[in-house]
Amino acid sequence: NTALRGIFRFYELMAPVLEEEDIVYLGEGNTPIIEANDHLAEKAGLRFAFKNDGQNPSASFKDRGMACAFSYLKALVRKHGWDEVLTVCASTGDTSAAAALYASYIGSPLKSVVLLPHGKVTPQQLSQPLGSGATVLEIPGVFDDCMKVVENLAENYRVALLNSKNSWRILGQESYAFEVAQWCDWDLKGKCVFVPVGNAGNITAVMGGFLKLHRLGIISELPRVFGVQSHHADPVYQYYSVEDPAKRVYKPVTVTPSVAQAAMIGNPVSFPRVKHFAEQFEAIGGKGSFQVLQVTEQSIMDSMIEANMNGHIACTQGGECYAGLKRAKELGLIAEDEFAILDATAHALKFSGFQDMYFSNSFPPQFGVQPDTALANAPELVI
Ligand code: F0G
């Protein structure tokens, strides 16, 4: 069956009501899981691997959700015969790249509009929706400001909202959990999954995917799931850092510039879903099966560079996961006989500007990042 490739190998778990003709497949999913070499494993204090979701068609994990969401949308458009449909999203750069790609593939009657915070997406990310022919609106402010605008649009006009509030997105992104489980031969005992947290759609989907497999009896144990946030954008960490659940109060935070720019979000729209799944996770997996870690900007950059100097192609958010793994080890939250799978959510090349600033020691002071001399001295350009 040619349609059921990539994430759609799991279509009974994500999209069983869809007709095959509506499935939009651009090669998403089935991304490689690459074990860290001995040097990195020694640095981390345990064996681990990166899952390279940067090897998706628009170079981030967002394609998993978009493939599923656009398949449902295509089915709806066919059913209703609409002659024009605006697809809209707010984005830190990757959702917009993916949404514009899928909309341009399907073509008429879809038209893609994306809202970006001015100056807070990388040049590579900005070029993606432009290259796919989307209308790109840049507004002053941060992602959270863009999100308010598109939520308002979705409440008042007939537009298709493609942010992770859209449950079809979450369904597609559950495929990440299915692929990890399959790679582990459906045995998740002693496995830990690290996910960077921004708008919190990814961690919702990952927990939801594992819970679904557990409920169906496909896996008998849940893995442990660790969310990771930068200290410059950490509302979910702040909430869970209060030990006593009865005393936890959710508060949006004001973000400051972060190298994990794609996750630089002060008020994640999927936070209520995280809370819901976290409770279910702990009810089945016990205390410690879901945790959120905070890491520094410095450790994120050092970790990204260290990973990529050892054969990986991790973006800053992938670096954030690796920094989270080292933090978990340092805090004694993870044992050396466990195995970690880190989500390298996008391709490193989307974030090469941060790498350049690292090597040239030119980070603006608000990031608070200095190059680690041992790492930064390594590359050489000989002309
Ligand atoms: N990593 C990358 C590369 C991302 O693009 C994002 C989110 C995240 C991690 C965080 O995932 O939001 O599901 O918690 N990017 C969104 C965007 C917000 O607009 O591209 P999350």
Side-chain angles (χ1 to χ4, degrees):
N1 185 338
T2 52
L4 304 182
R5 293 169 289 173
I7 68 164
F8 293 105
R9 288 187 299 124
F10 302 104
Y11 108 110
E12 291 92 341
L13 296 171
M14 296 178 324
V17 297
L18 285 179
E19 303 286 341
E20 218 179 286
E21 65 183 291
D22 292 321
I23 287 178
V24 186
Y25 170 75
L26 298 186
E28 53 291 319
N30 255 342
T31 54
I33 297 181
I34 308 296
E35 267 200 70
N37 63 15
D38 292 346
H39 176 68
L40 285 188
E42 202 173 299
K43 287 243 170 210
L46 73 158
R47 286 172 51 239
F48 72 97
F50 280 100
K51 185 160 171 63
N52 288 343
D53 253 22
Q55 288 184 225
N56 278 302
S58 78
S60 89
F61 73 101
K62 304 286 179 180
D63 297 323
R64 298 176 178 278
M66 291 301 171
C68 187
F70 274 91
S71 299
Y72 276 101
L73 187 56
K74 199 173 153 196
L76 273 190
V77 168
R78 195 164 55 82
K79 184 169 161 216
H80 294 282
W82 293 322
D83 52 13
E84 185 175 80
V85 178
L86 278 194
T87 68
V88 299
C89 67
S91 183
T92 55
D94 290 327
T95 296
S96 43
L101 179 73
Y102 286 82
S104 73
Y105 184 77
I106 296 171
S108 175
L110 303 190
K111 285 197 175 141
S112 174
V113 178
V114 305
L115 260 83
L116 308 176
H118 177 68
K120 295 183 187 70
V121 301
T122 71
Q124 296 86 335
Q125 289 171 315
L126 178 60
S127 75
Q128 290 187 282
L130 289 170
S132 298
T135 300
V136 178
L137 304 173
E138 285 199 304
I139 66 168
V142 292
F143 170 87
D144 302 279
D145 302 306
C146 299
M147 194 65 223
K148 276 189 213 132
V149 176
V150 293
E151 281 186 308
N152 200 294
L153 272 177
E155 266 159 38
N156 294 297
Y157 299 91
R158 204 192 68 195
V159 295
L161 179 67
L162 265 312
N163 282 99
S164 52
K165 273 199 124 170
N166 181 329
S167 299
W168 299 332
R169 278 265 319 272
I170 300 291
L171 281 176
Q173 287 178 206
E174 285 177 359
S175 62
Y176 183 89
F178 306 154
E179 290 179 12
V180 167
Q182 185 172 33
W183 190 78
C184 296
D185 283 333
W186 313 105
D187 176 10
L188 278 310
K189 193 176 160 53
K191 301 293 192 306
C192 299
V193 176
F194 283 71
V195 182
V197 180
N199 218 15
N202 194 21
I203 195 154
T204 298
V206 169
M207 281 199 285
F210 285 122
L211 282 166
K212 194 181 269 183
L213 293 179
H214 188 265
R215 207 167 298 131
L216 292 169
I218 297 172
I219 57 174
S220 56
E221 276 193 58
L222 292 173
R224 298 209 292 146
V225 170
F226 291 83
V228 189
Q229 294 205 299
S230 159
H231 62 140
H232 285 187
D234 62 358
V236 183
Y237 166 77
Q238 290 298 341
Y239 179 83
Y240 283 104
S241 65
V242 176
E243 189 74 29
D244 179 356
K247 297 209 172 101
R248 289 176 185 158
V249 184
Y250 173 72
K251 275 199 298 274
V253 303
T254 304
V255 296
T256 48
S258 173
V259 296
Q261 187 170 263
M264 203 180 107
I265 294 171
N267 190 15
V269 293
S270 288
F271 177 74
R273 295 197 275 197
V274 174
K275 236 181 98 187
H276 175 68
F277 281 151
E279 279 160 20
Q280 293 189 20
F281 233 74
E282 292 203 334
I284 299 167
K287 201 170 151 46
S289 57
F290 169 77
Q291 297 182 64
V292 185
L293 299 155
Q294 184 205 49
V295 293
T296 65
E297 288 290 307
Q298 181 72 50
S299 69
I300 296 172
M301 266 325 289
D302 290 342
S303 302
M304 176 202 185
I305 300 290
E306 195 175 277
N308 294 347
M309 284 202 168
N310 285 273
H312 297 280
I313 44 172
C315 61
T316 41
Q317 295 66 223
E320 187 174 29
C321 284
Y322 178 34
L325 173 67
K326 288 187 278 189
R327 183 81 185 125
K329 190 71 179 40
E330 193 178 279
L331 294 171
L333 300 174
I334 188 165
E336 60 187 26
D337 61 353
E338 291 183 274
F339 186 90
I341 294 157
L342 318 187
D343 193 350
T345 44
H347 201 289
L349 292 178
K350 287 200 189 212
F351 298 89
S352 57
F354 292 113
Q355 182 179 289
D356 295 346
M357 286 197 269
Y358 191 88
F359 290 135
S360 58
N361 193 6
S362 59
F363 267 104
Q366 53 282 24
F367 288 93
V369 175
Q370 300 281 322
D372 174 320
T373 40
L375 288 172
N377 282 338
E380 249 184 90
L381 175 66
V382 181
I383 300 171

